Amino acid sequence: MGLRFASLGSGSKGNGTLVASGDQCLLVDCGFTIKQTERRMLRLGMSPADLTAILVTHEHSDHLSGVAPLARKYGLPIYLTPGTLRARDIGKLPQVHLIEGHQPFVVADIQVTPVAVPHDAREAAQYVFRSRGSSLGLLTDLGTVTPHVESHFAGCDALVLEANHDPQMLAQGPYPPSLKRRVGGAYGHLSNQQAAGFLQRVGYEQLQHLVVAHISEKNNTLELARSALAEMLESVENCIFACQQDGFDWLTVEARGY
Ligand SMILES: [Zn+2]
Ligand SMILES: [Zn+2]
Protein backbone atom coordinates (compact mmCIF):
# COMPACT_ATOMS: atom_id res chain seq x y z
CA MET A 1 0.00 0.00 0.00
CA GLY A 2 1.22 3.50 -0.79
CA LEU A 3 0.64 6.73 1.10
CA ARG A 4 -2.55 7.46 3.01
CA PHE A 5 -3.71 10.93 3.99
CA ALA A 6 -6.54 12.64 5.82
CA SER A 7 -7.36 16.05 7.26
CA LEU A 8 -8.34 17.31 10.71
CA GLY A 9 -9.72 20.49 9.15
CA SER A 10 -8.80 22.89 6.37
CA GLY A 11 -9.17 26.68 6.22
CA SER A 12 -8.21 29.91 7.94
CA LYS A 13 -9.54 28.72 11.32
CA GLY A 14 -7.17 25.75 11.56
CA ASN A 15 -5.33 23.17 9.50
CA GLY A 16 -3.86 19.74 10.10
CA THR A 17 -3.09 16.97 7.60
CA LEU A 18 -2.13 13.38 8.41
CA VAL A 19 0.25 11.62 6.01
CA ALA A 20 0.85 7.93 6.71
CA SER A 21 2.90 5.10 5.30
CA GLY A 22 2.68 1.63 6.83
CA ASP A 23 2.27 2.12 10.57
CA GLN A 24 4.06 5.49 10.63
CA CYS A 25 2.19 8.77 10.53
CA LEU A 26 3.13 12.45 10.21
CA LEU A 27 1.01 15.44 11.14
CA VAL A 28 1.56 18.44 8.89
CA ASP A 29 0.64 21.63 10.79
CA CYS A 30 -1.69 21.91 13.74
CA GLY A 31 -3.96 24.92 14.10
CA PHE A 32 -6.14 23.39 16.81
CA THR A 33 -6.04 23.13 20.60
CA ILE A 34 -4.84 19.84 22.11
CA LYS A 35 -8.41 18.84 22.94
CA GLN A 36 -9.65 19.63 19.42
CA THR A 37 -6.69 17.81 17.88
CA GLU A 38 -7.33 14.69 19.98
CA ARG A 39 -11.02 14.78 19.10
CA ARG A 40 -10.41 15.33 15.38
CA MET A 41 -7.74 12.60 15.26
CA LEU A 42 -10.01 10.17 17.07
CA ARG A 43 -12.57 10.73 14.32
CA LEU A 44 -9.88 9.38 11.94
CA GLY A 45 -9.07 6.42 14.19
CA MET A 46 -5.85 7.93 15.56
CA SER A 47 -4.35 9.44 18.68
CA PRO A 48 -1.49 11.98 18.76
CA ALA A 49 0.46 9.24 20.58
CA ASP A 50 0.51 7.36 17.23
CA LEU A 51 2.40 10.18 15.47
CA THR A 52 6.05 9.90 14.45
CA ALA A 53 6.60 13.64 14.00
CA ILE A 54 5.02 17.01 13.23
CA LEU A 55 5.99 19.02 10.12
CA VAL A 56 5.24 22.72 9.94
CA THR A 57 4.65 24.70 6.74
CA HIS A 58 4.81 28.24 8.17
CA GLU A 59 4.12 30.35 11.25
CA HIS A 60 0.56 31.57 10.62
CA SER A 61 -1.60 30.62 13.57
CA ASP A 62 -4.04 28.50 11.53
CA HIS A 63 -1.03 26.17 10.97
CA LEU A 64 1.15 26.67 14.04
CA SER A 65 -0.97 27.48 17.09
CA GLY A 66 -1.37 23.88 18.27
CA VAL A 67 2.04 22.54 17.26
CA ALA A 68 4.14 23.30 20.35
CA PRO A 69 1.51 22.29 22.96
CA LEU A 70 0.92 18.98 21.14
CA ALA A 71 4.65 18.31 20.71
CA ARG A 72 5.26 18.98 24.41
CA LYS A 73 2.38 16.82 25.62
CA TYR A 74 3.29 13.84 23.43
CA GLY A 75 7.08 14.33 23.16
CA LEU A 76 6.97 14.65 19.36
CA PRO A 77 9.85 15.85 17.16
CA ILE A 78 9.15 18.87 14.95
CA TYR A 79 10.49 19.56 11.45
CA LEU A 80 10.48 23.18 10.26
CA THR A 81 12.59 25.78 8.45
CA PRO A 82 14.88 28.09 10.48
CA GLY A 83 12.74 31.06 9.37
CA THR A 84 9.56 29.47 10.70
CA LEU A 85 11.29 28.57 13.99
CA ARG A 86 12.46 32.16 14.48
CA ALA A 87 9.24 33.82 13.39
CA ARG A 88 7.42 33.19 16.68
CA ASP A 89 8.42 32.40 20.23
CA ILE A 90 6.67 29.08 20.71
CA GLY A 91 8.58 28.08 23.84
CA LYS A 92 10.53 24.95 24.56
CA LEU A 93 10.19 22.07 22.11
CA PRO A 94 11.13 18.45 22.83
CA GLN A 95 13.11 17.94 19.62
CA VAL A 96 13.66 20.27 16.65
CA HIS A 97 14.89 19.23 13.21
CA LEU A 98 15.72 22.18 11.00
CA ILE A 99 14.98 21.93 7.29
CA GLU A 100 18.02 23.55 5.74
CA GLY A 101 17.94 24.90 2.19
CA HIS A 102 14.70 23.05 1.47
CA GLN A 103 16.71 19.83 1.10
CA PRO A 104 14.69 16.57 0.94
CA PHE A 105 14.77 14.38 4.06
CA VAL A 106 13.33 11.06 5.20
CA VAL A 107 11.07 10.63 8.22
CA ALA A 108 8.73 7.78 9.08
CA ASP A 109 9.66 5.86 5.92
CA ILE A 110 8.49 8.83 3.84
CA GLN A 111 10.71 10.95 1.63
CA VAL A 112 9.76 14.59 2.16
CA THR A 113 10.66 17.36 -0.29
CA PRO A 114 10.08 20.86 1.09
CA VAL A 115 9.22 23.40 -1.61
CA ALA A 116 9.59 27.17 -1.12
CA VAL A 117 6.41 29.11 -1.94
CA PRO A 118 5.57 32.83 -2.16
CA HIS A 119 3.54 33.57 0.99
CA ASP A 120 3.72 36.35 3.57
CA ALA A 121 5.63 34.24 6.06
CA ARG A 122 9.34 34.14 6.97
CA GLU A 123 10.33 30.91 5.22
CA ALA A 124 7.25 28.99 4.11
CA ALA A 125 7.59 25.41 2.86
CA GLN A 126 4.94 23.24 1.26
CA TYR A 127 5.67 19.53 0.82
CA VAL A 128 5.79 16.64 -1.63
CA PHE A 129 5.72 13.18 0.02
CA ARG A 130 6.94 9.95 -1.59
CA SER A 131 6.70 6.44 -0.25
CA ARG A 132 6.40 2.92 -1.64
CA GLY A 133 5.93 4.11 -5.23
CA SER A 134 3.29 6.74 -4.53
CA SER A 135 3.45 10.52 -4.20
CA LEU A 136 1.33 13.21 -2.61
CA GLY A 137 1.65 16.99 -2.96
CA LEU A 138 0.41 19.37 -0.29
CA LEU A 139 0.08 22.86 -1.73
CA THR A 140 -1.80 25.58 0.15
CA ASP A 141 -0.96 29.07 1.39
CA LEU A 142 0.73 30.60 -1.63
CA GLY A 143 -0.09 33.74 -3.57
CA THR A 144 1.59 32.79 -6.85
CA VAL A 145 2.45 29.55 -8.59
CA THR A 146 6.11 29.86 -9.56
CA PRO A 147 7.98 27.66 -12.10
CA HIS A 148 9.79 26.20 -9.05
CA VAL A 149 6.45 25.12 -7.54
CA GLU A 150 5.24 23.71 -10.86
CA SER A 151 8.37 21.64 -11.36
CA HIS A 152 8.05 20.03 -7.91
CA PHE A 153 4.32 19.36 -7.89
CA ALA A 154 3.94 18.17 -11.51
CA GLY A 155 3.34 14.42 -11.76
CA CYS A 156 2.11 13.84 -8.20
CA ASP A 157 -0.32 10.90 -7.83
CA ALA A 158 -2.49 12.89 -5.42
CA LEU A 159 -2.77 16.57 -4.63
CA VAL A 160 -4.19 18.72 -1.86
CA LEU A 161 -4.49 22.08 -3.60
CA GLU A 162 -5.61 25.46 -2.35
CA ALA A 163 -8.54 27.18 -4.05
CA ASN A 164 -8.99 29.92 -1.47
CA HIS A 165 -11.16 32.58 -3.00
CA ASP A 166 -13.18 33.91 -5.86
CA PRO A 167 -11.61 37.27 -6.78
CA GLN A 168 -14.98 38.98 -7.21
CA MET A 169 -16.31 37.72 -3.88
CA LEU A 170 -13.08 38.81 -2.19
CA ALA A 171 -13.36 42.30 -3.75
CA GLN A 172 -16.98 42.69 -2.66
CA GLY A 173 -16.64 40.80 0.62
CA PRO A 174 -16.37 41.88 4.26
CA TYR A 175 -12.56 42.04 4.62
CA PRO A 176 -10.91 45.46 5.16
CA PRO A 177 -9.01 46.75 2.08
CA SER A 178 -5.58 45.86 3.49
CA LEU A 179 -6.59 42.24 4.11
CA LYS A 180 -8.20 42.02 0.65
CA ARG A 181 -4.89 43.15 -0.87
CA ARG A 182 -2.99 40.63 1.27
CA VAL A 183 -5.19 37.63 0.45
CA GLY A 184 -5.42 38.44 -3.27
CA GLY A 185 -1.77 39.51 -3.59
CA ALA A 186 1.32 37.70 -4.83
CA TYR A 187 2.14 36.51 -1.28
CA GLY A 188 -1.42 35.67 -0.23
CA HIS A 189 -3.61 32.77 -1.31
CA LEU A 190 -4.53 31.06 -4.59
CA SER A 191 -7.86 31.93 -6.20
CA ASN A 192 -10.05 29.29 -7.82
CA GLN A 193 -8.77 30.45 -11.21
CA GLN A 194 -5.10 30.26 -10.17
CA ALA A 195 -5.66 26.72 -8.92
CA ALA A 196 -7.29 25.76 -12.22
CA GLY A 197 -4.50 27.42 -14.24
CA PHE A 198 -1.86 25.53 -12.25
CA LEU A 199 -3.58 22.19 -12.96
CA GLN A 200 -3.93 23.03 -16.64
CA ARG A 201 -0.23 23.82 -16.91
CA VAL A 202 1.16 20.83 -14.97
CA GLY A 203 -1.52 18.31 -16.03
CA TYR A 204 -4.00 16.42 -13.89
CA GLU A 205 -4.83 13.28 -15.87
CA GLN A 206 -2.58 11.16 -13.66
CA LEU A 207 -4.16 12.29 -10.37
CA GLN A 208 -5.90 9.62 -8.29
CA HIS A 209 -7.17 12.21 -5.83
CA LEU A 210 -7.60 15.94 -6.08
CA VAL A 211 -8.54 17.55 -2.77
CA VAL A 212 -9.55 21.19 -3.06
CA ALA A 213 -8.50 22.83 0.21
CA HIS A 214 -8.10 25.99 2.31
CA ILE A 215 -11.39 27.24 0.85
CA SER A 216 -12.43 30.59 2.36
CA GLU A 217 -15.76 30.54 4.16
CA LYS A 218 -16.22 34.27 3.46
CA ASN A 219 -14.76 34.79 0.01
CA ASN A 220 -15.68 31.61 -1.84
CA THR A 221 -18.46 29.08 -2.36
CA LEU A 222 -18.30 25.43 -3.33
CA GLU A 223 -20.30 26.27 -6.46
CA LEU A 224 -17.76 28.87 -7.62
CA ALA A 225 -14.81 26.57 -6.88
CA ARG A 226 -16.58 23.73 -8.67
CA SER A 227 -17.28 25.77 -11.76
CA ALA A 228 -13.68 27.07 -11.99
CA LEU A 229 -12.37 23.50 -11.67
CA ALA A 230 -15.13 21.84 -13.75
CA GLU A 231 -12.74 20.29 -16.32
CA MET A 232 -10.63 18.69 -13.59
CA LEU A 233 -13.62 17.44 -11.64
CA GLU A 234 -14.72 15.58 -14.74
CA SER A 235 -11.48 13.78 -15.46
CA VAL A 236 -9.82 13.12 -12.09
CA GLU A 237 -10.78 9.76 -10.51
CA ASN A 238 -11.70 11.25 -7.14
CA CYS A 239 -12.24 14.94 -6.39
CA ILE A 240 -13.30 16.18 -3.00
CA PHE A 241 -13.58 19.49 -1.17
CA ALA A 242 -11.91 19.72 2.24
CA CYS A 243 -13.91 21.59 4.84
CA GLN A 244 -13.02 23.60 7.91
CA GLN A 245 -15.08 21.56 10.32
CA ASP A 246 -14.55 18.01 9.09
CA GLY A 247 -11.40 18.12 6.94
CA PHE A 248 -11.65 14.88 4.96
CA ASP A 249 -11.49 11.15 5.64
CA TRP A 250 -8.56 8.84 4.83
CA LEU A 251 -7.62 8.49 1.16
CA THR A 252 -5.16 5.92 -0.18
CA VAL A 253 -2.72 6.61 -3.00
CA GLU A 254 -2.03 3.45 -4.97
CA ALA A 255 1.57 2.78 -5.94
CA ARG A 256 2.38 3.43 -9.58
CA GLY A 257 5.90 2.05 -9.31
CA TYR A 258 8.74 4.54 -9.72
ZN1 LIG B 1 -3.44 29.01 6.13
ZN1 LIG C 1 -0.62 31.27 5.75
Side-chain angles (χ1 to χ4, degrees):
M1 207 200 294
L3 288 162
R4 288 168 290 121
F5 63 110
S7 163
L8 312 188
S10 174
S12 59
K13 291 184 190 142
N15 295 275
T17 310
L18 296 171
V19 180
S21 176
D23 58 359
Q24 308 246 31
C25 187
L26 305 174
L27 173 61
V28 185
D29 291 334
C30 185
F32 305 105
T33 62
I34 291 179
K35 220 174 147 187
Q36 278 279 329
T37 304
E38 289 168 341
R39 195 180 57 75
R40 286 168 187 256
M41 283 188 71
L42 191 63
R43 198 164 68 194
L44 295 161
M46 302 271 304
S47 148
D50 303 326
L51 294 171
T52 308
I54 305 176
L55 274 61
V56 183
T57 59
H58 65 297
E59 69 270 24
H60 291 157
S61 60
D62 55 322
H63 301 263
L64 184 71
S65 67
V67 168
L70 194 73
R72 282 193 283 267
K73 178 168 177 185
Y74 289 93
L76 297 167
I78 297 179
Y79 289 74
L80 75 186
T81 63
T84 300
L85 180 66
R86 285 179 207 124
R88 297 261 191 284
D89 181 9
I90 53 174
K92 256 190 165 314
L93 299 171
Q95 206 189 117
V96 172
H97 296 268
L98 288 178
I99 297 165
E100 299 281 5
H102 288 76
Q103 287 300 310
F105 56 93
V106 175
V107 56
D109 192 26
I110 298 170
Q111 191 204 46
V112 184
T113 304
V115 182
V117 295
H119 192 52
D120 53 357
R122 284 279 282 272
E123 195 180 0
Q126 295 294 320
Y127 296 105
V128 177
F129 303 92
R130 288 187 178 82
S131 180
R132 305 181 187 205
S134 66
S135 63
L136 161 70
L138 192 57
L139 186 59
T140 70
D141 296 77
L142 70 167
T144 319
V145 178
T146 59
H148 178 71
V149 168
E150 288 187 1
S151 71
H152 277 89
F153 284 86
C156 281
D157 299 316
L159 202 54
V160 177
L161 175 65
E162 173 169 67
N164 176 258
H165 59 275
D166 171 73
Q168 207 175 338
M169 269 190 84
L170 176 67
Q172 293 164 358
Y175 281 7
S178 61
L179 189 52
K180 287 182 182 179
R181 279 195 297 276
R182 206 219 111 205
V183 170
Y187 293 86
H189 292 273
L190 291 187
S191 68
N192 297 337
Q193 288 72 15
Q194 282 174 295
F198 162 73
L199 289 169
Q200 259 147 7
R201 288 191 301 277
V202 302
Y204 48 88
E205 293 78 7
Q206 83 290 352
L207 286 174
Q208 296 172 36
H209 307 286
L210 172 62
V211 179
V212 184
H214 217 300
I215 302 165
S216 171
E217 292 177 318
K218 294 209 167 72
N219 305 309
N220 209 352
T221 64
L222 284 186
E223 290 66 37
L224 286 167
R226 256 195 210 109
S227 92
L229 295 162
E231 270 175 59
M232 295 83 197
L233 300 191
E234 243 173 60
S235 65
V236 175
E237 284 174 42
N238 178 40
C239 283
I240 60 166
F241 291 79
C243 78
Q244 181 68 76
Q245 190 49 43
D246 300 320
F248 56 87
D249 205 351
W250 286 106
L251 296 169
T252 299
V253 192
E254 299 301 334
R256 301 253 177 170
Y258 286 89

